[in-house]
Structure formats: structure tokens, C-alpha cells
Amino acid sequence: MAILKLYGWPESTATWRVAIVLHEAKVPFEFVNVNILNADYKTPEYLEKQPFGQIPYIDDDGFILFESRAIGRYIAAEHPESKLIPTDPKKHALFEQAASIEFANFDFNADPLIKALARKRFLGQDSDQAPLDAKMETLEGRLDVYEKILAKQRYIAGDEITLADLFHLPRAQFIETYIKSGVMTSSSRPHVARWYDELLSRPSWKAFEGGVKGILEY
Amino acid sequence: MAILKLYSSSVTACTRRTATVLHELKIPFELIEVDVLSGAHKTPEFLKFQPFGQVPYIDDDGFILYESRAICRYVAAKHPRSGLIPTDPKANALFEQATSIELTNFEPSAGKAGLPFYLKKLGWRDDLTDVPANLEILDKKLDAYEAILSKQRYLAGDTLTLADLFHLPYAGFVSLGSDIMTRPNRPNVARWYNELVSRPAWLAYQDGVKTTTEY
């Protein structure tokens, strides 16, 4: 059986999201760098595999899958011993609620901030600051709600870690590090800070601190 | 066992999404109207159940759940024979890919283009400023949908899943002001879209979601 191949870019938050789950599930994988500066993700060959021209995607012994969260779910389902998706029906429903919160409340507001920074970094384009400031305020408002949730339970879906927590990590770290320090670590949200800190200390995060790379052995 | 209670505005997108799936699964439910225009979803009583102050949430015999897609997944999981969530591992992975496509590649632009048309229709707000730029983004995304749907009937494969149904509210709303879902240069998107919007579960709540106890 061929080793799983992860096609992505070492510093892409979506590629990171997949790598974290692969590590948590102890799945060996080869990393294939997609040259984003060359727009390799827009070639006809690439679009055959990922029609939206986005990274990452995986090739798992011929099975092609894209969308980082879908890949994460696939890996977690193939490796139930990693316990990243609860099986009990009500816990599973609360996991789905948490996974939806991640996208609808966190990523939805984080995305414009991250894209603005990417435009600045790669294209030298400036963005209107006022709408970005408003987005940051919205994001922090959502984190105030996370604070209430995490005051009652250890993780976003309950008292056990799930994919929903891990899915947050790349973009949470990116915003904290490159956009506004304190968003995730402010003492005004001690439970968010505790949760964030705990996620950052996991080996699955530390393994890729310098960027995503393949892992053949755990 | 108590009837499932759906707490929401009768007209908002996420309520329409939830009700459509409940209808597909023939699940009786009671709609308990939350007057969002007067901020009923921001009161301390409401926030106890949905801390983000958003609609909908459900009370299923005492079990509280929010986020429309999570609610839909929860009820579909209780009805595995519906096939709305495939169980075969690879089919399930492709289903998850499709639900993620809807979230990341459809909703952001379809929502920002569709919601203004819908709010204008409801008489709640008339501001179409964000529409053109978002239709442009959506147009490119739909080219990728065309590539996928030219090879298979639905977004996750050849059978209907939740992933297709999740698109309904914003796909429907965008069509209130644009023909982007039915253009002749994207015949497969048009075919898929037309099939979805003709489903009784979508048509049932055109004038707003209401309590449904019989099917």
C-alpha cells in the first residue's frame, strides 16, 4: 500500500490543519510541495484533482480527497483509535455543533483578516483598514462566547478533545502571531487562553512549527 | 416523546435549511417563533440555549443543539436509511468533501450575494452594494461545480446527500436577483439546481417555516 501523499504548501493554514490530524492519528505521509508562487495549483493537471484550484489535497493510495476538514474527518474515521470524532449519538451531535461553530463563527471572521495579510505579503496590496477592524471586533466578540463555553467544559465539543478543537489551531495561531497578539491569549479570556495554550503544546502542533513536512515514522 | 421544537425566525436562511431537512426526513416539528427583528435572540434567556445569539436551535426532548448544519446532521443520523449521510468510508469522505465545498466555496459568496436579495424581498433591508463583487466570485466557483456535476449527479456522488440540500437557502436566494444558477453555459449546475429547488421539502416553506406535524 502506497504511503499517503499530502499536496500543499508548508505554511498554508489548511495544509497545517491536515498535517495536525495526520500526526494525531500517527499516519505516515509524504509531503509534496505545491509551488504557490508559480501558481502550480491552477494548472489543468492540478484542477483535475482539485477543481477549485486550492490546496491541499491528498492522494491516499489512489483515493483523491480535498478540503482540509474533510481530509481530517476521513483520517479520523479511518483511525478511530485516535478518538477525534465521538461515536455516542449525542456527543457526536455536540461535536458537529462545535465543528460548525469553528467554521461559521471563527473561520468566517478570521478569513478576511488572513486574506488581507496574504494580499499584502504576496501582492503588495493594501486593504481598507476599517472593515478589517470591524471583522476583528466581531471575531473577538465570538471569542467572548467561546470564553463562556470553555468555562463550563474543557474543549469546544465537551470534555474531550475532538477534531473541532484541532481545526481552529492553524488560523488561531496565525492571527495571534501575525495579525493581533493577545486575541487568543488575553487574560480577559482566561479559558480561551487555557484552551489555546493546551492545543499549542500538543506534539501534533509542535511537529510542524517550522512548516509542514512529511513524517515517515512516529 | 415530545415533538422536536425548532426555535427560530420562520424566514431566516438557516431555519429554511433546517426545516427542509426535517421535511425530507418526514420529522414532525413545532416551530417556536423567535422575533429576531426585535432582538429576541439576544436576550439572556435565549443566550442560555444559544450563546452566540443566533437562530435556529432545537430542543429534541430536552437535548439542545444549535448550528443548522449540525442539527441537520443530527436528525439525518437518526434516519440512516434516508441515505442523506453515506456510511461507506469512501462515500462518506466524498460526502464530507462536498459539505466542506458548500461551506468554503459556496456559502461565503452565495450568502453575501443572496442574503441582500432575500432581505429586500422580505422588506427588511434594501442594500445590494455587496452583491456584484460576490456574484463575480460565485461565478468562478460555479465553474468548478460544473466540472464536478458533469461527472456525477450530485455534489458527493450519484445520490442526493445533505451536502446538496445545505446549498438550498442561499442558492434559492441568489436566484431572486440573478440567473447565475441556471445559465446555459453551466448546464449541469442548472440541472442540479433545478432539481433541488423543485423538491417538496424546499417548496413547502416558501412563505416561511411553520409547525409541521403531518406529512
Side-chain angles (χ1 to χ4, degrees):
Chain A
M1 198 166 86
I3 191 173
L4 186 150
K5 294 192 179 71
L6 170 60
Y7 290 78
W9 182 51
E11 292 166 49
S12 127
T13 54
T15 308
W16 232 308
R17 188 175 288 123
V18 174
I20 290 170
V21 180
L22 286 166
H23 195 288
E24 290 278 340
K26 307 264 172 284
V27 176
F29 69 98
E30 201 180 297
F31 179 68
V32 180
N33 200 334
V34 176
N35 191 335
I36 65 165
L37 297 174
N38 228 24
D40 278 359
Y41 53 97
K42 298 288 184 196
T43 63
E45 298 72 40
Y46 193 94
L47 292 172
E48 272 288 317
K49 303 280 193 326
Q50 215 290 14
F52 295 91
Q54 296 161 331
I55 55 171
Y57 76 86
I58 60 164
D59 178 344
D60 187 17
D61 203 16
F63 179 58
I64 306 295
L65 198 66
F66 57 88
E67 292 291 324
S68 62
R69 293 170 183 83
I71 298 169
R73 284 169 174 265
Y74 168 67
I75 303 294
E78 291 269 290
H79 297 270
E81 71 281 4
S82 62
K83 294 195 167 87
L84 292 173
I85 302 180
T87 47
D88 166 79
K90 287 191 169 141
K91 285 191 176 163
H92 188 94
L94 294 170
F95 156 72
E96 291 295 357
Q97 177 180 281
S100 191
I101 288 169
E102 184 266 321
F103 194 79
N105 287 294
F106 188 83
D107 195 287
F108 185 76
N109 295 300
D111 190 69
L113 300 167
I114 294 176
K115 289 217 163 86
L117 192 70
R119 277 196 301 273
K120 175 91 190 179
R121 183 178 165 193
F122 293 111
L123 304 170
Q125 276 173 19
D126 281 314
S127 307
D128 258 346
Q129 199 51 43
L132 294 176
D133 289 343
K135 266 299 154 193
M136 180 57 83
E137 213 182 302
T138 304
L139 180 64
E140 295 210 69
R142 302 300 157 94
L143 289 170
D144 289 340
V145 181
Y146 275 60
E147 180 64 18
K148 296 195 170 77
I149 294 172
L150 294 166
K152 297 184 204 157
Q153 56 196 49
R154 195 166 166 201
Y155 296 101
I156 203 83
D159 285 316
E160 284 142 13
I161 195 166
T162 65
L163 284 187
D165 305 283
L166 301 174
F167 284 173
H168 285 83
L169 193 48
R171 292 197 138 187
Q173 191 268 354
F174 190 95
I175 295 207
E176 175 72 23
T177 310
Y178 300 110
I179 300 180
K180 184 176 177 186
S181 168
V183 170
M184 304 303 301
T185 54
S186 165
S187 56
S188 67
R189 288 188 286 260
H191 295 96
V192 171
R194 181 265 308 153
W195 167 74
Y196 174 70
D197 213 58
E198 216 189 285
L199 293 176
L200 279 186
S201 24
R202 293 181 80 85
S204 58
W205 174 256
K206 291 188 171 310
F208 307 112
E209 265 179 318
V212 175
K213 54 190 194 298
I215 299 190
L216 300 178
E217 260 173 42
Y218 288 92
Chain B
M1 201 166 86
I3 190 173
L4 186 148
K5 295 191 178 69
L6 175 62
Y7 288 82
S8 194
S9 145
S10 59
V11 297
T12 48
C14 299
T15 312
R16 297 281 302 271
R17 179 181 292 121
T18 308
T20 293
V21 172
L22 288 169
H23 195 288
E24 285 279 343
L25 294 167
K26 311 256 174 286
I27 296 173
F29 68 92
E30 189 186 332
L31 177 81
I32 292 153
E33 181 88 40
V34 175
D35 186 2
V36 297
L37 286 177
S38 73
H41 55 319
K42 307 290 182 189
T43 62
E45 298 73 41
F46 188 93
L47 293 174
K48 270 196 232 140
F49 296 105
Q50 214 290 12
F52 292 92
Q54 298 160 338
V55 288
Y57 75 86
I58 60 164
D59 177 345
D60 187 22
D61 205 16
F63 180 58
I64 306 296
L65 197 68
Y66 55 88
E67 291 292 323
S68 64
R69 293 172 185 83
I71 295 168
C72 293
R73 283 169 173 266
Y74 166 67
V75 295
K78 286 203 204 180
H79 296 262
R81 271 181 284 169
S82 67
L84 290 180
I85 303 181
T87 47
D88 164 77
K90 289 197 162 130
N92 187 274
L94 294 170
F95 160 74
E96 292 296 354
Q97 177 179 279
T99 61
S100 192
I101 287 170
E102 186 265 322
L103 275 179
T104 67
N105 283 301
F106 187 80
E107 206 204 80
S109 54
K112 292 192 191 99
L115 200 56
F117 289 136
Y118 189 56
L119 294 178
K120 183 172 173 168
K121 179 187 169 191
L122 290 176
W124 288 12
R125 196 194 307 153
D126 188 347
D127 179 3
L128 304 181
T129 320
D130 288 340
V131 172
N134 282 290
L135 284 178
E136 216 180 295
I137 296 170
L138 182 59
D139 193 54
K140 296 194 176 66
K141 300 292 186 182
L142 290 175
D143 287 342
Y145 273 68
E146 181 64 20
I148 295 170
L149 294 166
S150 66
K151 298 180 202 158
Q152 56 197 47
R153 194 167 166 197
Y154 297 100
L155 201 61
D158 285 315
T159 55
L160 180 82
T161 66
L162 283 188
D164 306 285
L165 298 173
F166 284 173
H167 289 76
L168 267 165
Y170 292 121
F173 298 170
V174 159
S175 299
L176 291 171
S178 163
D179 66 351
I180 202 170
M181 300 302 302
T182 53
R183 289 191 190 145
N185 66 321
R186 286 190 288 252
N188 292 287
V189 170
R191 184 255 315 146
W192 168 77
Y193 169 77
N194 283 324
E195 206 191 298
L196 287 175
V197 293
S198 353
R199 294 186 80 84
W202 173 248
L203 295 170
Y205 305 116
Q206 291 276 69
D207 299 321
V209 175
K210 47 194 193 292
T211 291
T212 309
T213 51
E214 266 168 34
Y215 287 95

Coordinates of all heavy atoms in Angstrom, one line a residue, chain A residues 9 22 28 37 50 67 70 85 87 89 93 106 115 126 130 147 178 181 186 190 193 199:
Chain A
W9 N 1.2 23.4 0.8 CA 2.3 24.4 0.9 C 2.7 24.4 2.4 O 1.8 24.4 3.2 CB 1.8 25.8 0.4 CG 2.8 26.8 0.5 CD1 4.1 26.8 0.0 CD2 2.7 28.1 1.1 NE1 4.8 28.0 0.3 CE2 3.9 28.8 0.9 CE3 1.6 28.7 1.8 CZ2 4.1 30.1 1.4 CZ3 1.8 30.0 2.2 CH2 3.0 30.7 2.1
L22 N -3.2 14.2 10.7 CA -2.3 13.0 10.4 C -1.4 12.7 11.5 O -1.3 11.5 11.9 CB -1.5 13.4 9.1 CG -2.3 13.4 7.8 CD1 -1.4 14.1 6.7 CD2 -2.7 12.0 7.4
P28 N 1.7 7.9 8.7 CA 2.9 8.3 7.9 C 2.4 9.0 6.6 O 1.4 8.5 6.0 CB 3.6 7.0 7.6 CG 3.0 6.0 8.5 CD 1.6 6.4 8.8
L37 N 3.8 30.1 -5.6 CA 4.3 31.3 -6.2 C 4.3 31.2 -7.7 O 4.2 32.1 -8.5 CB 5.7 31.7 -5.7 CG 5.8 32.0 -4.2 CD1 7.2 32.2 -3.8 CD2 4.9 33.2 -3.9
Q50 N -8.2 18.9 -8.0 CA -8.9 19.8 -7.1 C -9.5 21.0 -8.0 O -8.8 21.9 -8.3 CB -7.9 20.4 -6.1 CG -8.4 20.7 -4.8 CD -9.4 21.9 -4.7 OE1 -9.9 22.4 -5.7 NE2 -9.7 22.3 -3.5
E67 N -10.3 19.6 0.5 CA -11.0 20.3 1.6 C -10.4 19.7 2.9 O -10.6 18.6 3.3 CB -12.5 20.0 1.6 CG -13.3 20.7 0.5 CD -13.3 22.3 0.6 OE1 -13.3 22.8 1.7 OE2 -13.2 22.9 -0.5
A70 N -12.5 17.9 5.5 CA -13.0 16.6 5.0 C -11.8 15.6 5.1 O -12.1 14.4 5.5 CB -13.5 16.7 3.6
I85 N -13.4 11.8 16.8 CA -14.8 12.1 16.5 C -15.6 11.1 17.4 O -15.5 9.9 17.3 CB -15.1 11.7 15.0 CG1 -14.2 12.5 14.0 CG2 -16.6 12.0 14.7 CD1 -14.5 12.2 12.5
T87 N -18.4 8.8 19.0 CA -19.4 7.9 18.4 C -20.8 8.0 19.0 O -21.8 7.8 18.4 CB -18.9 6.5 18.3 OG1 -18.4 6.2 19.7 CG2 -17.7 6.3 17.3
P89 N -24.2 9.1 20.0 CA -25.0 10.0 19.2 C -25.1 11.4 19.7 O -25.0 12.4 18.9 CB -26.4 9.3 19.2 CG -26.1 7.9 19.4 CD -24.9 7.8 20.2
A93 N -23.4 14.7 18.0 CA -24.1 15.9 17.6 C -23.5 17.1 18.2 O -23.3 18.2 17.5 CB -25.6 15.8 18.2
F106 N -15.7 31.2 13.8 CA -14.3 31.6 13.9 C -13.7 31.8 12.5 O -13.3 33.0 12.2 CB -13.5 30.5 14.6 CG -12.1 30.8 14.9 CD1 -11.8 31.6 16.0 CD2 -11.1 30.5 14.0 CE1 -10.5 32.0 16.3 CE2 -9.8 30.9 14.3 CZ -9.5 31.7 15.4
K115 N -6.7 36.8 4.6 CA -6.6 37.1 3.2 C -6.0 38.5 3.0 O -5.2 38.7 2.1 CB -8.0 37.0 2.5 CG -8.5 35.5 2.4 CD -9.2 35.2 1.1 CE -9.3 33.8 0.8 NZ -10.5 33.1 1.4
D126 N -2.5 46.8 -0.4 CA -3.1 47.3 0.9 C -4.6 47.1 0.9 O -5.2 47.1 -0.2 CB -2.7 48.8 1.2 CG -1.3 48.9 1.7 OD1 -0.9 48.1 2.6 OD2 -0.6 49.8 1.2
A130 N -10.7 49.9 7.9 CA -11.9 50.0 8.7 C -12.7 48.7 8.7 O -13.1 48.2 9.8 CB -12.7 51.2 8.3
E147 N -15.4 31.9 25.4 CA -15.0 32.0 26.8 C -16.1 31.4 27.7 O -15.8 30.6 28.7 CB -14.7 33.5 27.2 CG -14.3 33.7 28.6 CD -12.9 33.1 29.0 OE1 -12.1 32.7 28.1 OE2 -12.7 32.9 30.2
Y178 N 0.6 36.8 13.7 CA 0.8 37.8 12.6 C -0.1 38.9 12.5 O 0.1 39.9 11.8 CB 0.9 37.0 11.2 CG 1.9 36.0 11.2 CD1 1.6 34.6 11.2 CD2 3.3 36.3 11.2 CE1 2.5 33.6 11.1 CE2 4.2 35.3 11.1 CZ 3.9 34.0 11.1 OH 4.8 33.0 11.1
S181 N -1.6 40.2 18.4 CA -1.2 39.4 19.6 C -2.2 39.7 20.7 O -2.7 40.8 20.9 CB 0.2 39.9 20.0 OG 0.5 39.4 21.2
S186 N -5.3 36.6 25.6 CA -5.6 37.7 26.6 C -6.1 37.2 27.9 O -6.9 36.2 27.9 CB -6.6 38.6 25.9 OG -7.2 39.5 26.9
P190 N -9.6 34.0 30.0 CA -8.6 33.0 30.6 C -8.9 31.6 30.1 O -8.0 30.8 29.9 CB -8.8 33.1 32.1 CG -10.1 33.8 32.3 CD -10.3 34.7 31.1
A193 N -7.6 31.3 26.6 CA -6.2 31.2 26.6 C -5.7 29.8 27.1 O -4.7 29.3 26.5 CB -5.7 32.3 27.6
L199 N -3.7 23.4 23.2 CA -3.6 22.9 21.8 C -2.2 23.1 21.2 O -1.7 22.3 20.6 CB -4.7 23.6 20.9 CG -6.1 23.3 21.2 CD1 -7.1 24.2 20.3 CD2 -6.5 21.9 21.0

